[in-house]
Coordinates of all heavy atoms in Angstrom, one line a residue:
R1 N 21.5 22.2 -31.6 CA 22.5 21.2 -31.9 C 23.5 21.1 -30.7 O 24.1 20.1 -30.5 CB 23.2 21.6 -33.2 CG 22.3 21.7 -34.4 CD 22.4 20.5 -35.2 NE 21.6 20.7 -36.4 CZ 20.5 20.1 -36.7 NH1 20.0 19.2 -35.8 NH2 19.9 20.3 -37.8
D2 N 23.7 22.2 -30.0 CA 24.6 22.1 -28.8 C 24.2 21.1 -27.8 O 25.0 20.5 -27.2 CB 24.8 23.5 -28.2 CG 25.5 24.5 -29.0 OD1 26.2 24.1 -30.0 OD2 25.3 25.7 -28.8
A3 N 22.9 21.0 -27.6 CA 22.3 20.0 -26.7 C 22.8 18.6 -27.0 O 23.1 17.8 -26.1 CB 20.8 20.1 -26.6
V4 N 22.8 18.3 -28.3 CA 23.2 17.0 -28.7 C 24.7 16.8 -28.6 O 25.1 15.7 -28.1 CB 22.8 16.7 -30.2 CG1 23.3 15.4 -30.7 CG2 21.3 16.8 -30.4
E5 N 25.4 17.8 -28.9 CA 26.9 17.7 -28.7 C 27.3 17.6 -27.2 O 28.4 17.1 -27.0 CB 27.5 19.0 -29.4 CG 27.4 18.9 -30.9 CD 28.0 20.1 -31.6 OE1 28.5 21.0 -30.9 OE2 27.8 20.2 -32.8
D6 N 26.5 18.1 -26.3 CA 26.8 18.0 -24.9 C 26.6 16.6 -24.4 O 27.1 16.3 -23.3 CB 25.9 19.0 -24.1 CG 26.3 20.4 -24.3 OD1 27.4 20.7 -24.8 OD2 25.5 21.3 -24.0
L7 N 25.9 15.7 -25.1 CA 25.8 14.3 -24.7 C 27.1 13.6 -24.9 O 27.9 13.9 -25.8 CB 24.7 13.6 -25.6 CG 23.3 14.2 -25.5 CD1 22.4 13.5 -26.5 CD2 22.7 14.0 -24.1
S8 N 27.3 12.6 -24.0 CA 28.5 11.8 -24.2 C 28.4 11.0 -25.5 O 27.3 10.9 -26.1 CB 28.7 10.8 -23.0 OG 27.7 9.8 -23.1
D9 N 29.5 10.3 -25.9 CA 29.5 9.5 -27.2 C 28.4 8.4 -27.1 O 27.7 8.2 -28.0 CB 30.8 8.9 -27.5 CG 31.9 10.0 -27.9 OD1 31.5 11.1 -28.2 OD2 33.1 9.7 -27.8
T10 N 28.3 7.7 -26.0 CA 27.4 6.7 -25.8 C 25.9 7.2 -25.8 O 25.1 6.7 -26.4 CB 27.6 5.9 -24.5 OG1 28.9 5.3 -24.5 CG2 26.6 4.8 -24.3
E11 N 25.8 8.4 -25.1 CA 24.4 9.0 -25.1 C 24.0 9.5 -26.5 O 22.9 9.4 -26.9 CB 24.4 10.2 -24.1 CG 24.4 9.7 -22.7 CD 24.5 10.9 -21.7 OE1 25.2 11.9 -22.1 OE2 23.9 10.9 -20.7
Q12 N 25.0 10.0 -27.3 CA 24.7 10.4 -28.6 C 24.2 9.3 -29.5 O 23.3 9.4 -30.2 CB 25.9 11.1 -29.3 CG 26.1 12.5 -28.8 CD 27.3 13.2 -29.5 OE1 27.7 12.8 -30.6 NE2 27.8 14.3 -28.9
E13 N 24.9 8.1 -29.3 CA 24.5 6.9 -30.1 C 23.1 6.5 -29.7 O 22.3 6.2 -30.5 CB 25.5 5.8 -29.8 CG 25.3 4.6 -30.6 CD 26.3 3.5 -30.4 OE1 27.3 3.7 -29.7 OE2 26.1 2.4 -30.8
A14 N 22.9 6.5 -28.4 CA 21.5 6.1 -27.9 C 20.5 7.2 -28.4 O 19.4 6.8 -28.7 CB 21.5 6.1 -26.4
F15 N 20.9 8.4 -28.4 CA 19.9 9.5 -28.8 C 19.5 9.2 -30.3 O 18.3 9.4 -30.6 CB 20.6 10.9 -28.7 CG 19.8 12.0 -29.2 CD1 18.7 12.4 -28.5 CD2 20.1 12.6 -30.4 CE1 17.9 13.5 -29.0 CE2 19.4 13.7 -30.9 CZ 18.3 14.1 -30.2
F16 N 20.4 8.9 -31.1 CA 20.1 8.7 -32.5 C 19.3 7.4 -32.7 O 18.4 7.3 -33.6 CB 21.3 8.7 -33.4 CG 21.9 10.1 -33.5 CD1 23.2 10.3 -33.0 CD2 21.2 11.1 -34.1 CE1 23.7 11.6 -33.1 CE2 21.7 12.4 -34.1 CZ 23.0 12.7 -33.6
V17 N 19.5 6.4 -31.9 CA 18.7 5.2 -31.9 C 17.2 5.6 -31.5 O 16.3 5.2 -32.1 CB 19.2 4.1 -30.9 CG1 18.2 3.0 -30.7 CG2 20.5 3.5 -31.5
W18 N 17.1 6.4 -30.4 CA 15.8 6.9 -29.9 C 15.1 7.7 -31.0 O 13.9 7.5 -31.2 CB 16.1 7.7 -28.6 CG 14.9 8.3 -28.0 CD1 14.0 7.6 -27.2 CD2 14.4 9.6 -28.1 NE1 13.0 8.5 -26.8 CE2 13.3 9.7 -27.3 CE3 14.9 10.7 -28.8 CZ2 12.6 10.9 -27.3 CZ3 14.2 11.9 -28.7 CH2 13.1 12.0 -28.0
C19 N 15.8 8.6 -31.6 CA 15.2 9.5 -32.6 C 14.7 8.6 -33.8 O 13.6 8.8 -34.3 CB 16.2 10.5 -33.2 SG 16.5 11.9 -32.1
N20 N 15.5 7.6 -34.2 CA 15.1 6.8 -35.3 C 13.8 6.0 -34.9 O 12.9 5.9 -35.7 CB 16.2 5.8 -35.7 CG 15.9 5.0 -36.9 OD1 15.4 5.5 -37.9 ND2 16.0 3.7 -36.7
Y21 N 13.8 5.4 -33.7 CA 12.7 4.6 -33.2 C 11.4 5.4 -33.1 O 10.3 5.0 -33.5 CB 13.1 4.0 -31.9 CG 12.0 3.1 -31.3 CD1 11.9 1.7 -31.6 CD2 11.0 3.6 -30.4 CE1 11.0 0.9 -31.1 CE2 10.1 2.7 -29.9 CZ 10.1 1.4 -30.2 OH 9.1 0.6 -29.7
K22 N 11.6 6.7 -32.7 CA 10.4 7.5 -32.5 C 10.1 8.4 -33.7 O 9.2 9.2 -33.7 CB 10.7 8.5 -31.3 CG 10.9 7.8 -30.0 CD 9.6 7.6 -29.3 CE 9.7 7.2 -27.9 NZ 8.6 7.5 -27.1
S23 N 10.9 8.2 -34.8 CA 10.7 8.9 -36.0 C 10.8 10.4 -35.8 O 10.0 11.2 -36.4 CB 9.3 8.6 -36.7 OG 9.3 7.2 -36.9
H24 N 11.8 10.9 -35.0 CA 12.0 12.3 -34.8 C 13.0 12.8 -35.9 O 13.9 12.0 -36.3 CB 12.6 12.6 -33.5 CG 11.6 12.4 -32.3 ND1 10.5 13.2 -32.2 CD2 11.7 11.6 -31.3 CE1 9.8 12.8 -31.1 NE2 10.5 11.8 -30.5
D25 N 12.9 14.0 -36.3 CA 13.7 14.6 -37.3 C 14.4 15.8 -36.7 O 13.8 16.8 -36.5 CB 12.9 15.0 -38.6 CG 13.7 15.5 -39.7 OD1 15.0 15.7 -39.5 OD2 13.1 15.8 -40.8
L26 N 15.7 15.8 -36.6 CA 16.5 16.9 -36.0 C 16.4 18.1 -36.8 O 16.5 19.2 -36.3 CB 18.0 16.5 -35.8 CG 18.3 15.7 -34.6 CD1 19.7 15.2 -34.7 CD2 18.0 16.4 -33.3
G27 N 16.2 18.0 -38.1 CA 16.0 19.2 -39.0 C 14.7 19.8 -38.8 O 14.5 21.0 -39.2
E28 N 13.7 19.1 -38.3 CA 12.4 19.7 -38.2 C 12.0 20.0 -36.8 O 11.0 20.8 -36.6 CB 11.4 18.6 -38.8 CG 11.6 18.2 -40.2 CD 11.1 19.3 -41.2 OE1 10.1 19.9 -40.9 OE2 11.8 19.5 -42.2
E29 N 12.6 19.4 -35.8 CA 12.2 19.6 -34.4 C 13.3 20.3 -33.6 O 14.5 20.2 -33.9 CB 11.9 18.2 -33.8 CG 10.7 17.5 -34.5 CD 10.4 16.2 -34.0 OE1 10.1 16.1 -32.8 OE2 10.6 15.2 -34.7
D30 N 12.9 20.9 -32.5 CA 13.8 21.5 -31.6 C 14.7 20.5 -30.9 O 14.3 19.6 -30.2 CB 13.1 22.4 -30.6 CG 14.0 23.2 -29.7 OD1 14.7 24.1 -30.2 OD2 14.1 22.8 -28.5
A31 N 16.0 20.7 -31.1 CA 17.0 19.7 -30.5 C 17.0 19.7 -29.0 O 17.1 18.7 -28.4 CB 18.4 20.0 -31.0
D32 N 16.8 20.9 -28.4 CA 16.8 21.0 -26.9 C 15.6 20.2 -26.3 O 15.7 19.4 -25.4 CB 16.7 22.4 -26.4 CG 18.0 23.2 -26.6 OD1 19.0 22.6 -26.5 OD2 17.9 24.4 -26.9
D33 N 14.4 20.3 -27.0 CA 13.2 19.5 -26.6 C 13.5 18.0 -26.8 O 13.1 17.2 -25.9 CB 12.0 20.0 -27.4 CG 11.5 21.4 -27.0 OD1 11.9 21.9 -25.9 OD2 10.8 22.0 -27.8
L34 N 14.1 17.7 -27.9 CA 14.3 16.3 -28.1 C 15.3 15.7 -27.1 O 15.0 14.6 -26.6 CB 14.9 16.1 -29.5 CG 13.9 16.3 -30.7 CD1 14.6 16.2 -32.0 CD2 12.8 15.2 -30.6
V35 N 16.3 16.4 -26.8 CA 17.3 15.9 -25.8 C 16.7 15.8 -24.4 O 16.9 14.8 -23.7 CB 18.6 16.8 -25.8 CG1 19.4 16.5 -24.6 CG2 19.4 16.6 -27.0
R36 N 15.8 16.7 -24.1 CA 15.1 16.7 -22.8 C 14.2 15.4 -22.7 O 14.2 14.7 -21.8 CB 14.3 17.9 -22.6 CG 13.6 17.9 -21.2 CD 12.4 19.0 -21.1 NE 11.4 18.6 -22.0 CZ 10.9 19.4 -23.0 NH1 11.4 20.6 -23.2 NH2 10.0 19.0 -23.8
D37 N 13.5 15.2 -23.8 CA 12.6 14.0 -23.9 C 13.4 12.7 -23.9 O 13.0 11.7 -23.2 CB 11.7 14.1 -25.1 CG 10.7 15.2 -25.0 OD1 10.5 15.8 -23.9 OD2 10.1 15.5 -26.1
F38 N 14.5 12.7 -24.6 CA 15.4 11.6 -24.6 C 15.9 11.2 -23.2 O 15.9 10.1 -22.8 CB 16.6 11.8 -25.6 CG 17.7 11.0 -25.3 CD1 17.7 9.6 -25.8 CD2 18.9 11.4 -24.7 CE1 18.8 8.8 -25.6 CE2 20.0 10.6 -24.5 CZ 20.0 9.3 -24.9
R39 N 16.4 12.3 -22.5 CA 16.9 12.1 -21.1 C 15.8 11.5 -20.2 O 16.1 10.7 -19.3 CB 17.5 13.3 -20.6 CG 18.8 13.7 -21.2 CD 19.4 14.9 -20.6 NE 20.5 15.4 -21.2 CZ 21.8 15.1 -20.9 NH1 22.0 14.3 -20.0 NH2 22.8 15.6 -21.6
D40 N 14.6 11.9 -20.4 CA 13.5 11.3 -19.6 C 13.3 9.8 -19.8 O 12.8 9.1 -18.9 CB 12.2 12.1 -19.9 CG 12.2 13.5 -19.3 OD1 13.0 13.8 -18.4 OD2 11.3 14.3 -19.8
E41 N 13.5 9.4 -21.0 CA 13.2 8.0 -21.4 C 14.5 7.1 -21.4 O 14.3 5.9 -21.3 CB 12.6 8.0 -22.8 CG 11.2 8.6 -22.8 CD 10.6 8.7 -24.2 OE1 10.9 7.8 -25.0 OE2 9.8 9.6 -24.4
Y42 N 15.6 7.6 -21.5 CA 16.9 6.8 -21.7 C 17.3 6.3 -20.3 O 17.4 7.0 -19.3 CB 18.0 7.6 -22.3 CG 19.3 6.9 -22.4 CD1 19.4 5.7 -23.1 CD2 20.4 7.3 -21.7 CE1 20.6 5.1 -23.3 CE2 21.6 6.7 -21.8 CZ 21.7 5.6 -22.6 OH 22.9 4.9 -22.7
L43 N 17.5 4.9 -20.2 CA 17.9 4.3 -19.0 C 19.3 3.7 -18.9 O 19.8 3.4 -17.9 CB 16.8 3.2 -18.6 CG 15.4 3.8 -18.4 CD1 14.4 2.6 -18.2 CD2 15.4 4.7 -17.2
G44 N 19.9 3.6 -20.1 CA 21.3 3.1 -20.1 C 21.5 2.0 -21.1 O 20.6 1.7 -21.9
Q45 N 22.8 1.6 -21.1 CA 23.2 0.6 -22.1 C 23.4 -0.8 -21.4 O 24.0 -0.8 -20.3 CB 24.5 1.0 -22.7 CG 25.0 0.1 -23.8 CD 26.3 0.7 -24.5 OE1 27.0 1.5 -23.9 NE2 26.5 0.3 -25.7
Y46 N 22.8 -1.8 -22.0 CA 22.8 -3.1 -21.4 C 23.2 -4.2 -22.4 O 23.0 -4.0 -23.6 CB 21.5 -3.5 -20.7 CG 21.1 -2.5 -19.6 CD1 20.5 -1.3 -19.9 CD2 21.5 -2.9 -18.3 CE1 20.2 -0.4 -18.8 CE2 21.2 -2.0 -17.3 CZ 20.6 -0.8 -17.5 OH 20.3 0.1 -16.5
D47 N 23.7 -5.3 -22.0 CA 24.0 -6.4 -22.9 C 22.8 -6.9 -23.6 O 22.8 -7.3 -24.8 CB 24.7 -7.6 -22.2 CG 26.1 -7.2 -21.7 OD1 26.7 -6.3 -22.3 OD2 26.5 -7.7 -20.7
D48 N 21.7 -7.0 -22.8 CA 20.4 -7.5 -23.4 C 19.3 -7.2 -22.4 O 19.5 -6.6 -21.3 CB 20.5 -9.0 -23.6 CG 20.9 -9.9 -22.4 OD1 20.6 -9.5 -21.3 OD2 21.6 -10.9 -22.6
E49 N 18.1 -7.6 -22.7 CA 16.9 -7.3 -21.9 C 17.0 -7.9 -20.5 O 16.7 -7.4 -19.5 CB 15.6 -7.7 -22.6 CG 15.3 -6.9 -23.8 CD 14.1 -7.4 -24.6 OE1 13.6 -8.5 -24.2 OE2 13.8 -6.7 -25.5
E50 N 17.6 -9.1 -20.5 CA 17.7 -9.9 -19.2 C 18.7 -9.2 -18.3 O 18.5 -9.1 -17.1 CB 18.2 -11.3 -19.5 CG 18.0 -12.2 -18.4 CD 18.3 -13.7 -18.7 OE1 17.9 -14.1 -19.8 OE2 18.8 -14.4 -17.9
D51 N 19.8 -8.6 -18.9 CA 20.8 -7.8 -18.1 C 20.1 -6.7 -17.4 O 20.3 -6.4 -16.2 CB 21.9 -7.4 -19.0 CG 23.0 -6.7 -18.3 OD1 23.3 -7.1 -17.1 OD2 23.6 -5.7 -18.9
F52 N 19.2 -6.0 -18.1 CA 18.4 -4.9 -17.5 C 17.5 -5.4 -16.4 O 17.4 -4.8 -15.3 CB 17.6 -4.1 -18.6 CG 16.7 -3.1 -18.0 CD1 17.3 -1.9 -17.6 CD2 15.4 -3.2 -18.0 CE1 16.4 -0.9 -17.1 CE2 14.5 -2.3 -17.5 CZ 15.1 -1.1 -17.0
A53 N 16.8 -6.5 -16.6 CA 15.9 -7.1 -15.6 C 16.7 -7.4 -14.3 O 16.2 -7.2 -13.2 CB 15.3 -8.3 -16.2
Y54 N 17.9 -8.0 -14.5 CA 18.8 -8.3 -13.4 C 19.1 -7.0 -12.5 O 19.0 -7.0 -11.3 CB 20.1 -8.9 -13.8 CG 21.0 -9.3 -12.7 CD1 20.7 -10.5 -12.0 CD2 22.0 -8.5 -12.3 CE1 21.5 -10.9 -10.9 CE2 22.8 -8.9 -11.2 CZ 22.6 -10.1 -10.6 OH 23.4 -10.4 -9.5
E55 N 19.4 -5.9 -13.2 CA 19.7 -4.7 -12.5 C 18.4 -4.2 -11.8 O 18.5 -3.7 -10.6 CB 20.2 -3.6 -13.4 CG 20.6 -2.4 -12.7 CD 21.4 -1.4 -13.6 OE1 22.4 -1.7 -14.1 OE2 20.9 -0.2 -13.6
I56 N 17.3 -4.3 -12.4 CA 16.0 -3.9 -11.7 C 15.8 -4.6 -10.4 O 15.5 -4.1 -9.4 CB 14.8 -4.1 -12.7 CG1 14.9 -3.1 -13.8 CG2 13.5 -3.9 -11.9 CD1 14.6 -1.6 -13.5
I57 N 16.0 -5.9 -10.5 CA 15.9 -6.8 -9.3 C 16.9 -6.3 -8.2 O 16.5 -6.2 -7.0 CB 16.0 -8.3 -9.6 CG1 14.9 -8.8 -10.5 CG2 16.2 -9.1 -8.4 CD1 13.5 -8.6 -9.9
E58 N 18.1 -6.1 -8.6 CA 19.2 -5.7 -7.7 C 18.8 -4.4 -7.0 O 19.0 -4.2 -5.8 CB 20.5 -5.6 -8.3 CG 21.1 -7.0 -8.7 CD 21.4 -7.8 -7.5 OE1 22.1 -7.3 -6.5 OE2 21.0 -9.0 -7.4
E59 N 18.3 -3.4 -7.8 CA 18.1 -2.1 -7.3 C 16.8 -1.9 -6.5 O 16.7 -1.1 -5.6 CB 18.1 -1.1 -8.4 CG 19.5 -0.8 -8.9 CD 19.5 0.2 -10.0 OE1 18.5 0.9 -10.3 OE2 20.6 0.4 -10.6
C60 N 15.7 -2.7 -6.9 CA 14.4 -2.4 -6.4 C 13.9 -3.5 -5.4 O 12.9 -3.2 -4.7 CB 13.4 -2.3 -7.6 SG 13.8 -1.0 -8.7
Y61 N 14.4 -4.6 -5.4 CA 13.9 -5.7 -4.6 C 15.0 -6.2 -3.6 O 16.2 -6.3 -4.0 CB 13.4 -6.8 -5.4 CG 12.3 -6.4 -6.3 CD1 12.5 -6.0 -7.7 CD2 11.0 -6.3 -5.9 CE1 11.5 -5.6 -8.5 CE2 9.9 -5.9 -6.7 CZ 10.2 -5.5 -8.0 OH 9.2 -5.1 -8.9
D62 N 14.6 -6.5 -2.4 CA 15.6 -7.0 -1.4 C 15.5 -8.5 -1.3 O 15.0 -9.0 -0.3 CB 15.4 -6.3 -0.1 CG 16.5 -6.6 0.9 OD1 17.6 -6.9 0.5 OD2 16.2 -6.4 2.1
L63 N 15.8 -9.2 -2.4 CA 15.7 -10.6 -2.4 C 16.9 -11.3 -1.7 O 18.1 -10.8 -2.0 CB 15.6 -11.2 -3.8 CG 14.4 -10.8 -4.6 CD1 14.5 -11.4 -6.0 CD2 13.1 -11.3 -3.9
P64 N 16.7 -12.3 -0.9 CA 17.9 -13.0 -0.4 C 18.6 -13.7 -1.5 O 18.1 -14.0 -2.5 CB 17.3 -14.1 0.6 CG 15.8 -13.7 0.6 CD 15.5 -12.8 -0.4
E65 N 19.9 -13.9 -1.3 CA 20.7 -14.5 -2.4 C 20.2 -15.8 -2.9 O 20.2 -16.1 -4.0 CB 22.2 -14.7 -1.9 CG 23.0 -13.4 -1.8 CD 23.0 -12.6 -3.1 OE1 23.3 -13.3 -4.1 OE2 22.8 -11.4 -3.1
F66 N 19.7 -16.7 -1.9 CA 19.2 -18.0 -2.4 C 17.9 -17.8 -3.3 O 17.8 -18.6 -4.2 CB 18.8 -18.9 -1.2 CG 17.5 -18.6 -0.6 CD1 16.4 -19.3 -1.0 CD2 17.4 -17.7 0.5 CE1 15.1 -19.0 -0.4 CE2 16.2 -17.5 1.1 CZ 15.0 -18.1 0.6
A67 N 17.1 -16.8 -3.1 CA 15.9 -16.5 -3.9 C 16.4 -16.1 -5.3 O 15.7 -16.4 -6.3 CB 15.0 -15.5 -3.3
K68 N 17.4 -15.3 -5.4 CA 17.9 -14.8 -6.7 C 18.3 -16.0 -7.6 O 18.2 -15.9 -8.8 CB 19.1 -13.9 -6.5 CG 18.7 -12.6 -5.9 CD 19.9 -11.7 -5.6 CE 19.6 -10.5 -4.9 NZ 20.7 -9.6 -4.5
T69 N 18.8 -17.1 -7.0 CA 19.2 -18.2 -7.8 C 18.0 -18.9 -8.5 O 18.1 -19.6 -9.5 CB 20.0 -19.3 -7.0 OG1 19.1 -19.8 -6.0 CG2 21.2 -18.7 -6.4
Y70 N 16.8 -18.7 -7.9 CA 15.6 -19.3 -8.4 C 14.8 -18.4 -9.3 O 13.8 -18.8 -10.0 CB 14.7 -19.8 -7.3 CG 15.3 -21.0 -6.6 CD1 15.9 -20.8 -5.4 CD2 15.3 -22.3 -7.1 CE1 16.5 -21.9 -4.7 CE2 15.8 -23.3 -6.4 CZ 16.4 -23.1 -5.2 OH 17.0 -24.2 -4.6
F71 N 15.1 -17.1 -9.3 CA 14.4 -16.1 -10.0 C 14.5 -16.2 -11.5 O 15.6 -16.4 -12.0 CB 14.8 -14.7 -9.5 CG 13.9 -13.6 -9.9 CD1 12.8 -13.3 -9.1 CD2 14.0 -12.9 -11.1 CE1 11.9 -12.3 -9.5 CE2 13.2 -11.9 -11.5 CZ 12.1 -11.6 -10.7
D72 N 13.4 -16.1 -12.2 CA 13.5 -16.3 -13.7 C 13.6 -14.9 -14.3 O 12.6 -14.2 -14.6 CB 12.2 -17.0 -14.1 CG 12.3 -17.4 -15.6 OD1 13.0 -16.8 -16.4 OD2 11.6 -18.4 -15.9
Y73 N 14.9 -14.5 -14.5 CA 15.1 -13.2 -15.1 C 14.7 -13.1 -16.5 O 14.2 -12.0 -17.0 CB 16.6 -12.9 -15.0 CG 17.1 -12.7 -13.6 CD1 17.7 -13.7 -12.9 CD2 17.0 -11.5 -12.9 CE1 18.1 -13.6 -11.6 CE2 17.4 -11.3 -11.6 CZ 17.9 -12.4 -10.9 OH 18.3 -12.2 -9.6
E74 N 14.7 -14.1 -17.3 CA 14.3 -14.1 -18.7 C 12.8 -13.8 -18.8 O 12.4 -12.9 -19.5 CB 14.6 -15.5 -19.3 CG 14.2 -15.5 -20.8 CD 14.5 -16.9 -21.4 OE1 15.1 -17.7 -20.8 OE2 14.0 -17.1 -22.6
K75 N 12.0 -14.4 -17.9 CA 10.5 -14.2 -18.0 C 10.2 -12.8 -17.4 O 9.3 -12.1 -17.9 CB 9.8 -15.2 -17.2 CG 9.7 -16.5 -18.0 CD 8.9 -17.6 -17.3 CE 8.9 -18.9 -18.1 NZ 8.3 -20.0 -17.4
F76 N 10.9 -12.4 -16.4 CA 10.7 -11.0 -15.9 C 11.1 -10.0 -16.9 O 10.3 -9.0 -17.1 CB 11.6 -10.9 -14.6 CG 11.4 -9.5 -13.9 CD1 10.2 -9.2 -13.4 CD2 12.5 -8.6 -13.8 CE1 10.0 -7.9 -12.7 CE2 12.3 -7.4 -13.1 CZ 11.1 -7.1 -12.6
A77 N 12.2 -10.2 -17.6 CA 12.5 -9.2 -18.7 C 11.5 -9.2 -19.8 O 11.1 -8.1 -20.3 CB 13.9 -9.7 -19.3
R78 N 10.9 -10.4 -20.1 CA 9.9 -10.4 -21.2 C 8.7 -9.6 -20.7 O 8.2 -8.8 -21.5 CB 9.4 -11.9 -21.4 CG 8.3 -12.0 -22.5 CD 7.6 -13.3 -22.4 NE 6.8 -13.3 -21.1 CZ 6.6 -14.3 -20.4 NH1 7.0 -15.5 -20.7 NH2 5.9 -14.2 -19.3
D79 N 8.3 -9.7 -19.5 CA 7.2 -8.9 -18.9 C 7.5 -7.4 -18.9 O 6.6 -6.6 -19.2 CB 6.8 -9.4 -17.5 CG 6.2 -10.8 -17.5 OD1 5.8 -11.3 -18.6 OD2 6.0 -11.4 -16.4
L80 N 8.7 -7.0 -18.5 CA 9.1 -5.6 -18.5 C 9.0 -5.0 -19.9 O 8.6 -3.9 -20.0 CB 10.5 -5.5 -17.9 CG 10.8 -5.7 -16.5 CD1 12.3 -5.7 -16.2 CD2 10.0 -4.7 -15.6
F81 N 9.5 -5.7 -20.9 CA 9.6 -5.2 -22.2 C 8.3 -5.4 -23.0 O 8.3 -5.0 -24.2 CB 10.8 -5.8 -22.9 CG 12.1 -5.1 -22.4 CD1 12.7 -5.7 -21.3 CD2 12.6 -4.0 -22.9 CE1 13.9 -5.2 -20.8 CE2 13.7 -3.4 -22.4 CZ 14.4 -4.0 -21.3
M82 N 7.3 -5.9 -22.4 CA 6.0 -6.0 -23.1 C 5.4 -4.6 -23.3 O 4.7 -4.4 -24.3 CB 5.0 -6.9 -22.4 CG 5.4 -8.4 -22.5 SD 4.3 -9.4 -21.5 CE 3.4 -10.2 -22.8
C83 N 5.5 -3.8 -22.3 CA 4.9 -2.4 -22.5 C 5.6 -1.3 -21.7 O 5.4 -0.2 -22.1 CB 3.4 -2.5 -22.1 SG 3.1 -3.1 -20.4
D84 N 6.4 -1.6 -20.7 CA 7.0 -0.5 -19.9 C 8.3 0.0 -20.4 O 8.7 1.1 -20.2 CB 7.2 -1.0 -18.5 CG 5.9 -1.3 -17.8 OD1 4.9 -0.6 -18.1 OD2 5.9 -2.2 -16.9
Y85 N 9.1 -0.9 -21.2 CA 10.4 -0.5 -21.7 C 10.6 -1.0 -23.1 O 9.8 -1.9 -23.5 CB 11.5 -1.1 -20.8 CG 11.4 -0.7 -19.3 CD1 10.7 -1.6 -18.4 CD2 11.9 0.5 -18.9 CE1 10.6 -1.2 -17.1 CE2 11.8 0.8 -17.5 CZ 11.1 0.0 -16.7 OH 11.0 0.3 -15.3
W86 N 11.5 -0.4 -23.8 CA 11.9 -1.0 -25.1 C 13.4 -1.0 -25.2 O 14.1 -0.2 -24.6 CB 11.2 -0.3 -26.3 CG 11.5 1.2 -26.4 CD1 10.8 2.2 -25.8 CD2 12.4 1.8 -27.2 NE1 11.2 3.4 -26.2 CE2 12.2 3.2 -27.1 CE3 13.4 1.4 -28.1 CZ2 13.0 4.2 -27.8 CZ3 14.1 2.3 -28.8 CH2 14.0 3.7 -28.6
F87 N 13.9 -1.9 -26.0 CA 15.4 -2.2 -26.1 C 15.7 -2.2 -27.6 O 15.0 -2.8 -28.4 CB 15.6 -3.6 -25.5 CG 17.1 -4.1 -25.6 CD1 17.9 -3.7 -24.6 CD2 17.5 -4.8 -26.6 CE1 19.2 -4.1 -24.6 CE2 18.8 -5.2 -26.7 CZ 19.7 -4.9 -25.7
D88 N 16.8 -1.5 -27.9 CA 17.2 -1.4 -29.3 C 18.7 -1.1 -29.3 O 19.2 -0.2 -28.7 CB 16.5 -0.3 -30.1 CG 16.7 -0.3 -31.6 OD1 17.6 -1.1 -32.0 OD2 16.0 0.4 -32.3
D89 N 19.5 -2.0 -30.0 CA 20.9 -1.8 -30.2 C 21.7 -1.7 -28.9 O 22.7 -0.9 -28.8 CB 21.1 -0.6 -31.1 CG 22.5 -0.7 -31.8 OD1 23.0 -1.8 -32.0 OD2 23.0 0.4 -32.2
G90 N 21.2 -2.4 -27.9 CA 21.9 -2.3 -26.6 C 21.5 -1.2 -25.6 O 22.0 -1.1 -24.5
F91 N 20.5 -0.4 -26.0 CA 20.0 0.6 -25.2 C 18.6 0.4 -24.7 O 17.8 -0.2 -25.4 CB 20.1 2.0 -26.0 CG 21.4 2.3 -26.5 CD1 21.7 2.2 -27.8 CD2 22.4 2.7 -25.6 CE1 22.9 2.5 -28.3 CE2 23.7 3.0 -26.1 CZ 23.9 2.9 -27.5
V92 N 18.4 0.8 -23.4 CA 17.0 0.6 -22.9 C 16.4 2.0 -22.6 O 17.0 2.9 -22.2 CB 17.1 -0.2 -21.5 CG1 15.7 -0.2 -20.8 CG2 17.6 -1.6 -21.7
F93 N 15.1 2.0 -23.0 CA 14.3 3.3 -22.9 C 13.0 3.0 -22.2 O 12.5 1.9 -22.4 CB 14.1 3.8 -24.3 CG 15.3 4.1 -25.1 CD1 15.8 3.1 -25.9 CD2 15.9 5.3 -25.0 CE1 16.9 3.4 -26.7 CE2 17.1 5.6 -25.8 CZ 17.6 4.6 -26.6
R94 N 12.5 3.9 -21.5 CA 11.2 3.8 -20.8 C 10.2 4.1 -21.9 O 10.3 5.1 -22.7 CB 11.1 4.9 -19.7 CG 9.8 4.9 -19.0 CD 9.8 5.9 -17.8 NE 10.8 5.5 -16.8 CZ 12.0 6.1 -16.5 NH1 12.3 7.2 -17.3 NH2 12.8 5.7 -15.6
A95 N 9.2 3.3 -22.0 CA 8.1 3.5 -23.0 C 7.3 4.7 -22.5 O 6.9 4.8 -21.4 CB 7.3 2.3 -23.1
A96 N 7.1 5.6 -23.5 CA 6.3 6.8 -23.1 C 5.2 7.0 -24.1 O 5.2 6.6 -25.2 CB 7.2 8.0 -23.0

């Protein structure tokens, strides 16, 4: 339980979203293992899937500013969340 308490308030909220989505039970499973797995999959809090896609483009691709104005972030987000990531209650997780 200490491992869960060591998470920030936002991380704790995300952790419980993750546990619910994955059907994990803190009473039945080791909290340290769950927190470790959660940290491997948790990517942060975002306004929506498109907001996350925008950050991926900013961090991973060196697009010129004019190209960013034509980039379809909505469709890119749709593709990202088809199988690589999942979004719930403002939190993004890596699909594992």
